Amino acid sequence: MQLDAHGFRVALPDKWEGAVQRGAVDERVAARTRQAGGEVHTPPVLHLTSASLPEVRGDYGSGAVDLLGDDDVFIALVEYGPENLGTALFDTGPMPRRLSVADFQPNGLQRPIAGQSGTQIFCTEAGRALCLYVVLGGHWQARRLLNRVNDALSRIDVAPSR
């Protein structure tokens, strides 16, 4: 299956699920933006998983990572607004297509879940400020799961924003 929306394109690995949708908006930032007469940016989010992808989930996988088994992985690619381009946080190079075991830590999760580990990498790809967030369902299987993660990452194409 091929996903192609909002400038994210990916050929899903066999038996994986994925979706591209508009992300959540921080209401405090949105209120300030509207007050200043600006347009509220709702960035796209790409979700990929080897488990079931629930219809309702957070940008960083809340609701989805709870469903991961020891053999599963979850990937989120979250875009931030153009105002973040060139900032120190996102000025780390392009999105990595290969990760290593050293990139994952149990405390690298948005919300700790026993047995899982994760990593979060801020980057700039195709002129877009992005955050790559990856969760391994079973940290003890990190070496084996990395083959699946790296395969999925190699399939992601990010087009320049319009």
Side-chain angles (χ1 to χ4, degrees):
M1 181 172 141
Q2 177 101 5
L3 295 175
D4 189 354
H6 303 294
F8 294 137
R9 186 178 358 186
V10 59
L12 291 174
D14 288 342
K15 300 180 183 174
W16 279 55
E17 294 185 17
V20 181
Q21 63 188 30
R22 288 289 180 183
V25 175
D26 182 323
E27 286 305 318
R28 292 173 297 181
V29 173
R32 285 194 304 267
T33 302
R34 284 186 201 102
Q35 196 172 38
E39 185 177 327
V40 176
H41 180 69
T42 54
V45 177
L46 168 68
H47 288 154
L48 304 174
T49 185
S50 60
S52 293
L53 191 61
E55 193 166 322
V56 177
R57 60 197 177 276
D59 289 354
Y60 288 91
S62 59
V65 295
D66 307 285
L67 303 176
L68 297 181
D70 288 347
D71 291 331
D72 293 315
V73 300
F74 173 83
I75 298 171
L77 187 58
V78 180
E79 183 173 2
Y80 283 72
E83 68 278 3
N84 293 288
L85 289 171
T87 64
L89 182 62
F90 292 93
D91 196 21
T92 60
M95 186 185 90
R97 297 312 198 277
R98 293 200 57 77
L99 299 175
S100 69
V101 172
D103 292 318
F104 291 87
Q105 299 297 325
N107 64 358
L109 298 166
Q110 293 285 322
R111 179 178 50 90
I113 297 177
Q116 294 185 359
S117 63
T119 190
Q120 186 173 23
I121 300 166
F122 293 88
C123 55
T124 299
E125 177 94 10
R128 297 168 72 175
L130 304 169
C131 178
L132 174 66
Y133 179 63
V134 182
V135 178
L136 305 178
H139 180 68
W140 63 278
Q141 297 193 85
R143 287 198 194 292
R144 190 173 63 74
L145 293 176
L146 273 176
N147 291 330
R148 299 175 83 189
V149 168
N150 291 334
D151 176 49
L153 292 177
S154 73
R155 296 166 177 255
I156 298 171
D157 181 46
V158 178
S161 61
R162 297 177 187 178

